[in-house]
Every structure is written in structure tokens, then in C-alpha cells.
């Protein structure tokens, strides 16, 4: 094969497709080959829509040949979709036994928007069950491996999304981020992961985990592709009342325009650089800070004093919301139903006990507890108050800087089984990402180096509400001048 399409960006592919330099069918077929070669090792995909993907590409090819109307921003770009996002094609299982074989009667808004932008949906990818986890080990389907080291987890909960982009099995993937599930796996797998501001992207058709925190976002090779995808999937949706009616910029154009003008004041939160942070990760992040300083960025210290309460606050709020959201999976309407129960109560109990995995059951129990009479004030209400304090921390910090920089995760990817016995340790791997969801801010993880043992490290930029334009511009600027380049995983 002369062209290694899997190494190209979405921008490069869509431009070649638009200029008729390559047929989208050829592009898609090369990705299907790539999946066949590497997914036996990585196991990112839960469903590969080979025929359907070729069919989409042929339709696009006809449209381009006949010059029928405008060609979309993601023309011919192969995209994978996390199992938690509804698609009419294939199954939407949330990697849970309780939804095994479930077919959604409709497409999520983001999926409709991808089709409208002429992207090619190539299949669905693995995740932690109902997006609860940080390693994709909670999937009821299979384990997904980190393309940089097959003995390590890809992160989670969108581990399949991150691994599929990093392994070159697709160019863009959509994941969801409730407490770090886009940024942390992006950091572990060496790709870019963007969690937009809460309300920027419609959640219609995203199976709800914690509705006040969930947000859909893209995985990509670079910030520019992330910008293009956000312009495609973002915007007000009448079917999601929490989506916000603000103008949706053409982010890629804005990045190009803003590049030379941008002055950067970067805040480093002192609470993010303590002894909890792995020494090697810290050194790599500080190296990236130096790169940014060389580009003329001004570095200031900021403080986010309520950081130490973020994990506890998050696990009260997200479990409370999950316990309500997951009540609908009762064996009556969707998916799995326990076969031979004597009465309806037994049917509910056995369906839910057998249909949900241990982590999901733990969260439903915790969430029911924190919402119950007598505990509501002590836990749930208090957590809401701390959430407000965490939000105010960011507001104060942003008076001193335009963007906040820190690690995405305290460690690089860990080994399978390392944290499964201790849920608290697993929860702590989200320490730097969780506050961003609690404060509804946008955050992006960008690769910034490799450890001695060859594992990627990501840095996180956190932006102001609805200021993805600036966030993406800074991320892009950093990429242009980054001293340590990652390359591609040593897979094949
Ligand atoms: N790892 C976190 C959790 O287990 C975040 C998950 C997510 O963002 N969906 O809840």
C-alpha cells in the first residue's frame, strides 16, 4: 500500500477526498485492513461495520463524482463510536450484560451530525460498563489493550476510543467524559482528547450516567482534528435542553487566524504538583511548561484549594445521579431479563443483580444511600455545596490566567489488575480531571512525552466556560513547538 492513510490526520484525509485525490472507498478499505491487522492485539472494537462502512463510502464517492452539493468537513474520515452512544446501526450495549443485543431505534444527535459531515462510521468501541471506571477493565465484553504496551490498560472509561485512534484503526473517535473518561484514556494512549464545556455538545442519545456531568467529545491525533470535530458535533439541540444556544465557531479557522496573535498566561495549580504526582510524569509536564515558556507564555502559580475534596464530591454526585438514571434498566423495557423468576419483584431483583457488573452495582448502592432520607443533607446536599466551591476556585484562578495547565493523570498507564482490587485507588486516578466536570469547564489532554519505559504522558489544559476556541488554539500552538514528539505506538 503506497499511502499509509492510518498515519494521516482527519484534515489531510478529508482534503484528499474533497480534491478527488483518493476515493473514500479506498481510504475506508485501508482502515478495515488495518483493523484486521492490529485489533487482534488491541481489541478496541466491539463491532466493526465493514459492509456498512464501505456502503457509506460509496455513497460519498458518488456524491463527490457527481458534484452533488457541498462535501462535509469530515469527508471520508473513519470514525469509531463508544458503545454508550446510540446508533441505529449495530448495537448500543454500554458494554453491559443488561443491554447485550440492544438496538437503539434512533441515532444520537452527534451521530446524525457526523453523517451530515460525511464522516464514515466504521464501528463501535469498548468501554467500562456504563462509563464507570478508569481502565476499561469493567467492560462485560472484553479487555482492551494499550497500543503502546499490550500489558497495560488503555485507561477508561473510553478506553476503546483512545486505543482505536492511537492504533490507527480510525482517525476520530467519539467518547464521553463524566469525570475524565476522554482525557485520561487519551493521556494513557498518546492521543488528544477533548471534553467540551457542559452544554456545548448535545447529550441526546448518550446513555446517561451522571447527567449534570456527562459530555461527549472527540479523540484525535491532534488539536486541529479535535477542533474540526467539535465544529461538527457541537451546538444547540432542541432535544437536549441542557445544550446551550451560543454561536458555534469554525474552530479550525479560528485556530489558524488566532495563532500569531495569541498571548498566553498559563496558571499552574500548586495543588496539582504535590507528591501524589508520579515523578517522571511531573518532569515531563515541567518540560512541556518550558517549551511553552520558550514560545513566550507567561507562567503564574494559581491555587485550587478545594481540589482535595473533588474525588469525594464527585463520587457522591455521580453515584446519586447514576442510581436514578440506571433505574430504567429493570428487565421490562430493555435488553436482558432474568428468565425464570416467580414474580415481578424477583424478576427486577435478579435482572439487575445479574445484568449489572460489580462496579455498577456498587455505584447504584452508594447513590441510593446518599440520596436516602436522613443522609441526603449529610452527603448529597453537602456535595453540591462543595461543587460550588470548586467552581469558584476556578473562577478565582482564571482572574490570574487564561488557561490552566496540569497533568491529566497522576501516573502513566498501569498494568491489568493493578487497581481492580482497590476501587479507591482506581478512583484516585481521576484526581486532576474530575474537578473540570464538577465546574462544567472544557479540558483537553495533549500528549507531551514518553516515560523511560515508553508509555505516553498527557498534559491537560483547562479553559474558561465555552472558550474552546482559545483552549484549542493554545493546544495547537503547544503541538507546533513541542520538543518531545511521540511518534506512533510500536505495534506493527
Ligand atoms: N473514572 C471515572 C469514573 O469511574 C470517570 C468516568 C467517566 O468520565 N465516565 O466515574
Amino acid at each position: 500500500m503506497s499511502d499509509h492513510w492510518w498515519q494521516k490526520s482527519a484534515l489531510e484525509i478529508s482534503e484528499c477526498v474533497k480534491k478527488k485525490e483518493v476515493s473514500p472507498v479506498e481510504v475506508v478499505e485501508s482502515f478495515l485492513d488495518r483493523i484486521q491487522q492490529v485489533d487482534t492485539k488491541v481489541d478496541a472494537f466491539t463491532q466493526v461495520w465493514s459492509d456498512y462502512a464501505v456502503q457509506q463510502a460509496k455513497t460519498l464517492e458518488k456524491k463527490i463524482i457527481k458534484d452533488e452539493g457541498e462535501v462535509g468537513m469530515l469527508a471520508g474520515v473513519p470514525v469509531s463510536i463508544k458503545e454508550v452512544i446510540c446508533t441505529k446501526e449495530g448495537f448500543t450495549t454500554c458494554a453491559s450484560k443488561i443491554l447485550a443485543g440492544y438496538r437503539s431505534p434512533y441515532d444520537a444527535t452527534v451521530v446524525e451530525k457526523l453523517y451530515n459531515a460525511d464522516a464514515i462510521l466504521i464501528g463501535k468501541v469498548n468501554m467500562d460498563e456504563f462509563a464507570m471506571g478508569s481502565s476499561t477493565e469493567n467492560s462485560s465484553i472484553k479487555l482492551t489493550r494499550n497500543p503502546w504496551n499490550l500489558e497495560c490498560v488503555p485507561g477508561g472509561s473510553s478506553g476503546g476510543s483512545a486505543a482505536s485512534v492511537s492504533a490507527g484503526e480510525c482517525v476520530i473517535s467519539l467518547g464521553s467524559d463524566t469525570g475524565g473518561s476522554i482525557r485520561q484514556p487519551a493521556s494513557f494512549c498518546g492521543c488528544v482528547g477533548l471534553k467540551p464545556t457542559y452544554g456545548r455538545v448535545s447529550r441526546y442519545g448518550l446513555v446517561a450516567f451522571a447527567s449534570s456531568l456527562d459530555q461527549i467529545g472527540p479523540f484525535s491525533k491532534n488539536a486541529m482534528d479535535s477542533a474540526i470535530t467539535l465544529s461538527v458535533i457541537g451546538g444547540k439541540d432542541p432535544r437536549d435542553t441542557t445544550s446551550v444556544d451560543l454561536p458555534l465557531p469554525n474552530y479550525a479557522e479560528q485556530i489558524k487566524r488566532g495563532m500569531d496573535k495569541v498571548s498566553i498566561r498559563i496558571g499552574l495549580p500548586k495543588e496539582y504538583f504535590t507528591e501524589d504526582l508520579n515523578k517522571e510524569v511531573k518532569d515531563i509536564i515541567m518540560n512541556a511548561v518550558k517549551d511553552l515558556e520558550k514560545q513566550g507564555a507567561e507562567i503564574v502559580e494559581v491555587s485550587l484549594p478545594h481540589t482535595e475534596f473533588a474525588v469525594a464530591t464527585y463520587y457522591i454526585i455521580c453515584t446519586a445521579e447514576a442510581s436514578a438514571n440506571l433505574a430504567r434498566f429493570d428487565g421490562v423495557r430493555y435488553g436482558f431479563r432474568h428468565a425464570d423468576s416467580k414474580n415481578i419483584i424477583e424478576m427486577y431483583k435478579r435482572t439487575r443483580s445479574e445484568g449489572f457488573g460489580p462496579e455498577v452495582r456498587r455505584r447504584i448502592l452508594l447513590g441510593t444511600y446518599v440520596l436516602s432520607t436522613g443522609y441526603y443533607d449529610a452527603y448529597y446536599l453537602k456535595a453540591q455545596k462543595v461543587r460550588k466551591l470548586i467552581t469558584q476556585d476556578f473562577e478565582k484562578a482564571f482572574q490570574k490566567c487564561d488557561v490552566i495547565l496540569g497533568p491529566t493523570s497522576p501516573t502513566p498507564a498501569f498494568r491489568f489488575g493493578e487497581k481492580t482490587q482497590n476501587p479507591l485507588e482506581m478512583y484516585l486516578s481521576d484526581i486532576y480531571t474530575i474537578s473540570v466536570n464538577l465546574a462544567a469547564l472544557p479540558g483537553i489532554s495533549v500528549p507531551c512525552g514518553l516515560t523511560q519505559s515508553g508509555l505516553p504522558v498527557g498534559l491537560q489544559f483547562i479553559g474558561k466556560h465555552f472558550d474552546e476556541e482559545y483552549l484549542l488554539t493554545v493546544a495547537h500552538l503547544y503541538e507546533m513547538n513541542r520538543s518531545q514528539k511521540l511518534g506512533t505506538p510500536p505495534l506493527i
Side-chain angles (χ1 to χ4, degrees):
M1 193 174 38
S2 57
D3 281 300
H4 294 290
W5 292 107
W6 65 269
Q7 287 172 321
K8 304 238 187 287
S9 68
L11 181 63
E12 288 165 332
I13 291 179
S14 63
E15 277 182 353
C16 288
V17 166
K18 280 182 206 165
K19 288 186 200 147
K20 304 184 192 173
E21 288 168 8
V22 65
S23 149
V25 180
E26 186 185 328
V27 174
V28 165
E29 282 174 347
S30 80
F31 276 90
L32 292 170
D33 285 349
R34 174 84 185 157
I35 293 174
Q36 257 197 347
Q37 277 169 39
V38 300
D39 212 54
T40 43
K41 293 181 187 164
V42 177
D43 263 329
F45 278 83
T46 48
Q47 312 164 45
V48 181
W49 299 337
S50 309
D51 295 344
Y52 180 57
V54 172
Q55 188 191 319
Q56 292 168 69
K58 283 188 176 158
T59 312
L60 175 61
E61 186 180 54
K62 267 193 217 132
K63 178 172 163 182
I64 292 172
I65 292 171
K66 291 187 184 161
D67 279 325
E68 283 174 356
E70 210 182 307
V71 179
M73 277 202 262
L74 289 174
V77 175
V79 179
S80 71
I81 307 284
K82 188 178 180 180
E83 279 277 346
V84 73
I85 297 174
C86 288
T87 50
K88 268 201 257 183
E89 182 68 19
F91 304 101
T92 300
T93 69
C94 299
S96 178
K97 182 177 165 192
I98 212 158
L99 280 177
Y102 172 71
R103 283 181 182 275
S104 167
Y106 61 90
D107 281 326
T109 298
V110 290
V111 169
E112 276 179 4
K113 289 186 178 227
L114 285 175
Y115 285 131
N116 291 340
D118 291 321
I120 310 292
L121 274 60
I122 200 160
K124 289 185 106 161
V125 280
N126 205 14
M127 56 182 277
D128 284 300
E129 183 177 2
F130 283 101
M132 297 176 189
S134 304
S135 65
T136 312
E137 289 167 292
N138 295 336
S139 167
S140 75
I141 304 172
K142 59 180 174 181
L143 288 180
T144 294
R145 296 177 182 277
N146 190 314
W148 291 86
N149 180 340
L150 300 173
E151 303 298 309
C152 289
V153 302
S157 64
S158 316
S161 291
S164 66
V165 169
S166 154
E169 298 174 279
C170 57
V171 187
I172 301 288
S173 183
L174 291 191
S176 63
D177 192 314
T178 306
S181 279
I182 292 176
R183 291 157 289 156
Q184 185 257 24
S187 153
F188 280 16
C189 291
C191 51
V192 171
L194 170 70
K195 180 242 169 235
T197 311
Y198 184 81
R200 176 57 91 189
V201 177
S202 167
R203 291 181 296 112
Y204 179 78
L206 169 67
V207 178
F209 161 15
S211 310
S212 77
L213 301 161
D214 298 342
Q215 192 64 190
I216 295 173
F219 289 81
S220 57
K221 285 193 177 68
N222 56 42
M224 189 58 94
D225 281 2
S226 185
I228 296 170
T229 313
L230 185 61
S231 294
V232 168
I233 63 171
K236 172 75 185 163
D237 177 9
R239 293 176 296 188
D240 171 9
T241 51
T242 61
S243 67
V244 171
D245 197 4
L246 282 173
L248 184 71
N250 179 330
Y251 292 105
E253 288 305 318
Q254 295 299 338
I255 289 179
K256 284 181 211 149
R257 224 171 284 152
M259 281 276 288
D260 40 333
K261 285 182 237 121
V262 76
S263 73
I264 322 173
R265 262 184 323 158
I266 296 176
L268 301 187
K270 61 172 194 249
E271 293 79 3
Y272 286 17
F273 293 89
T274 61
E275 61 283 4
D276 296 331
L277 177 59
N278 169 296
K279 168 91 176 58
E280 222 185 335
V281 172
K282 185 174 176 181
D283 290 346
I284 294 172
I285 302 280
M286 291 320 288
N287 212 14
V289 172
K290 278 198 206 108
D291 287 347
L292 283 154
E293 265 182 316
K294 273 188 218 142
Q295 287 165 236
E298 185 194 332
I299 310 294
V300 294
E301 188 184 270
V302 294
S303 175
L304 301 169
H306 294 92
T307 299
E308 61 174 309
F309 307 113
V311 172
T313 306
Y314 169 82
Y315 277 96
I316 291 171
I317 293 174
C318 84
T319 57
E321 294 185 18
S323 74
N325 276 327
L326 272 60
R328 73 193 69 176
F329 304 105
D330 54 10
V332 177
R333 284 158 293 195
Y334 312 96
F336 171 75
R337 174 189 296 177
H338 185 264
D340 42 37
S341 303
K342 286 193 268 325
N343 54 49
I344 188 143
I345 299 296
E346 191 186 323
M347 191 281 283
Y348 284 149
K349 282 188 184 162
R350 296 183 73 172
T351 297
R352 286 168 66 79
S353 306
E354 289 173 31
F356 290 131
E359 182 61 26
V360 177
R361 291 203 301 272
R362 178 181 299 122
R363 304 241 183 154
I364 293 174
L365 290 173
L366 280 171
T368 309
Y369 179 80
V370 299
L371 286 177
S372 54
T373 324
Y375 296 108
Y376 180 91
D377 288 357
Y379 294 107
Y380 185 70
L381 202 61
K382 198 178 233 169
Q384 293 292 8
K385 290 178 182 165
V386 182
R387 180 176 190 173
K388 184 76 192 166
L389 294 172
I390 290 171
T391 309
Q392 286 169 348
D393 280 356
F394 281 105
E395 282 163 11
K396 280 187 205 135
F398 279 127
Q399 287 168 4
K400 285 173 72 182
C401 63
D402 311 307
V403 70
I404 290 172
L405 186 159
T408 305
S409 175
T411 64
F414 42 87
R415 290 180 175 262
F416 288 100
E418 211 173 284
K419 298 192 191 225
T420 38
Q421 294 316 309
N422 185 346
L424 265 185
E425 220 184 284
M426 189 75 91
Y427 296 172
L428 283 172
S429 73
D430 301 314
I431 180 126
Y432 305 123
T433 46
I434 273 172
S435 310
V436 174
N437 300 72
L438 289 168
L441 296 166
I444 189 167
S445 181
V446 184
C448 62
L450 285 178
T451 62
Q452 291 289 326
S453 53
L455 287 170
V457 171
L459 66 77
Q460 177 178 214
F461 290 112
I462 304 168
K464 298 178 185 170
H465 285 128
F466 296 103
D467 200 4
E468 283 88 355
E469 195 175 309
Y470 186 79
L471 186 69
L472 287 159
T473 306
V474 173
H476 177 75
L477 258 176
Y478 168 66
E479 285 176 350
M480 295 292 100
N481 298 284
R482 163 173 60 189
S483 55
Q484 221 195 336
K485 303 264 190 283
L486 253 65
T488 46
L491 256 181
I492 293 183

